[in-house]
Amino acid sequence: MATFGNLTDRLADTFKNLRGKGKLSPADIDGTVREIRRALLDADVALDVVKEFTGKVRERALSDEVSKALNPAQQVVQIVNEELVGILGGEQRRLRFAKTAPTVIMLAGLQGAGKTTLAGKLAKWLAGEGHTPLLVAADLQRPNAVTQLQVVGEQAGAQVFAPEPGNGVGNPVKVAKDSIRFAKDKQYDVVIVDTAGRLGVDAELMKQAGDIRKAVDPDEVLFVIDAMIGQDAVATAKAFQDGVDFTGVVLTKLDGDSRGGAALSVASVTGRPIIFASTGERLEDFEPFHPERMASRILD
Ligand code: GDP
């Protein structure tokens, strides 16, 4: 994966040095842990996450688990892999559906994070799984957001619920609320509510997102975050956690070539699982997130 190319190369070099050795001395392990630490920091993984990660790796690498292993170097790689799966959330967490339809999924995140694109991707994916999704245009901030969602909806083959002119225009909370009634009447079983973003976190945006959340009582609130955001990822994620208390994370733009480590910190820092990954602009560039697969790709 392009985003983690550099991290992958750095870790591979670190492990290559280790493989040349038979038994590992504490100095070997400290050297390795130091290199891993630098590689993660250079990839923009948040400092607290790096500290905790390297602390765990060091402790385990110095234990009997490694000194008694037939191949200590391989054992260290295995530990790094397991701890990486840990920061990425451990087990795969699937999208949660409501017991009684419709399931309501609300999308939140900064402008440009990829929410509207994700709405289309989710709709297409859900339709492929046998669902009948309804897209809801509750981003009434950007002049062309509604049109953009309509274009995406058409590509995904999904219906879009948008405010009628003169009725609820400018009131995203009302639009969101009305959409749930509409979905029940027309038997859509999943409602995907696209909300407005801003270029930076602001109080008004959070209040609006919080009000929409209250109005639609979602089964999932997905925080959409651009993997290219860099070190702001953690602060942004925390602000959205306080503002909308999201239930899961979607990483977007994992196809980009910038360092994506900051986004990798989000699950660990917020305690919320990454549920989907978006890897391009096309609607099919999207997949459920698997911590184990992602860790293997990074360590490839
Ligand atoms: P929103 O403001 O959060 O609704 O963001 P948009 O859905 O409008 O996306 C912003 C831009 O990012 C658009 O040009 C999208 O085509 C692009 N985009 C969205 N997801 C991805 C992705 O996974 N990879 C890449 N390369 N571009 C993406």
Side-chain angles (χ1 to χ4, degrees):
M1 204 163 266
T3 310
F4 303 113
N6 197 34
L7 176 60
T8 301
D9 292 346
R10 294 271 300 271
L11 292 175
D13 285 347
T14 305
F15 297 142
K16 202 158 49 183
N17 291 336
L18 205 62
R19 283 207 178 92
K21 305 185 171 162
K23 260 195 142 7
L24 301 182
S25 67
D28 291 330
I29 286 169
D30 280 339
T32 302
V33 169
R34 230 178 355 253
E35 281 175 41
I36 295 173
R37 181 188 158 88
R38 272 195 223 116
L40 291 170
L41 287 174
D42 286 348
D44 267 348
V45 178
L47 181 60
D48 287 348
V49 177
V50 175
K51 276 190 189 156
E52 195 183 330
F53 179 84
T54 48
K56 282 188 192 154
V57 169
R58 183 173 181 276
E59 188 181 322
R60 288 184 59 187
L62 286 167
S63 73
D64 290 353
E65 186 183 355
V66 168
S67 60
K68 291 195 175 134
L70 281 180
N71 186 336
Q74 208 170 352
Q75 191 66 26
V76 172
V77 177
Q78 179 60 28
I79 290 170
V80 171
N81 181 60
E82 286 168 13
E83 295 299 336
L84 206 48
V85 173
I87 336 183
L88 295 171
E91 301 256 300
Q92 185 198 4
R93 157 72 150 76
R94 288 170 203 275
L95 190 70
R96 263 191 316 235
F97 290 91
K99 286 204 182 74
T100 329
T103 295
V104 179
I105 304 171
M106 172 179 164
L107 309 181
L110 295 180
Q111 186 176 319
K115 286 182 300 299
T116 306
T117 311
L118 174 76
K121 291 178 174 191
L122 261 177
K124 188 173 165 130
W125 179 79
L126 285 164
E129 302 271 301
H131 295 280
T132 331
L134 176 70
L135 293 171
V136 180
D139 175 357
L140 307 180
Q141 224 72 33
R142 266 190 310 144
N144 63 356
V146 175
T147 322
Q148 193 194 341
L149 191 68
Q150 273 157 343
V151 170
V152 160
E154 205 160 298
Q155 287 169 355
Q159 168 91 30
V160 174
F161 184 90
E164 304 268 332
N167 180 16
V169 174
N171 185 350
V173 179
K174 175 169 167 31
V175 170
K177 214 173 184 163
D178 290 351
S179 76
I180 307 294
R181 203 170 313 125
F182 179 85
K184 282 182 183 155
D185 284 352
K186 307 278 181 196
Q187 306 199 332
Y188 289 95
D189 73 336
V190 185
V191 181
I192 301 167
V193 184
D194 189 17
T195 68
R198 294 275 203 291
L199 291 174
V201 171
D202 78 29
E204 198 192 330
L205 159 79
M206 280 307 172
K207 180 169 182 320
Q208 184 186 92
D211 288 347
I212 294 177
R213 192 191 205 295
K214 271 188 222 132
V216 301
D217 189 20
D219 300 285
E220 295 276 19
V221 179
L222 300 181
F223 169 57
V224 183
I225 184 160
D226 176 343
M228 304 205 270
I229 181 171
Q231 287 292 354
D232 283 347
V234 169
T236 307
K238 282 186 175 159
F240 273 89
Q241 187 165 31
D242 289 345
V244 290
D245 189 20
F246 55 82
T247 58
V249 178
V250 180
L251 296 182
T252 63
K253 309 193 190 179
L254 285 174
D255 52 312
D257 54 8
S258 77
R259 311 169 289 187
L264 291 190
S265 318
V266 166
S268 177
V269 165
T270 62
R272 294 289 180 269
I274 304 168
I275 305 184
F276 295 104
S278 171
T279 54
E281 293 187 79
R282 296 171 315 153
L283 292 190
E284 32 309 323
D285 301 328
F286 167 79
E287 58 194 27
F289 185 82
H290 295 268
E292 279 178 23
R293 274 188 221 165
M294 177 63 103
S296 318
R297 280 187 207 168
I298 292 173
L299 293 178
D300 200 8

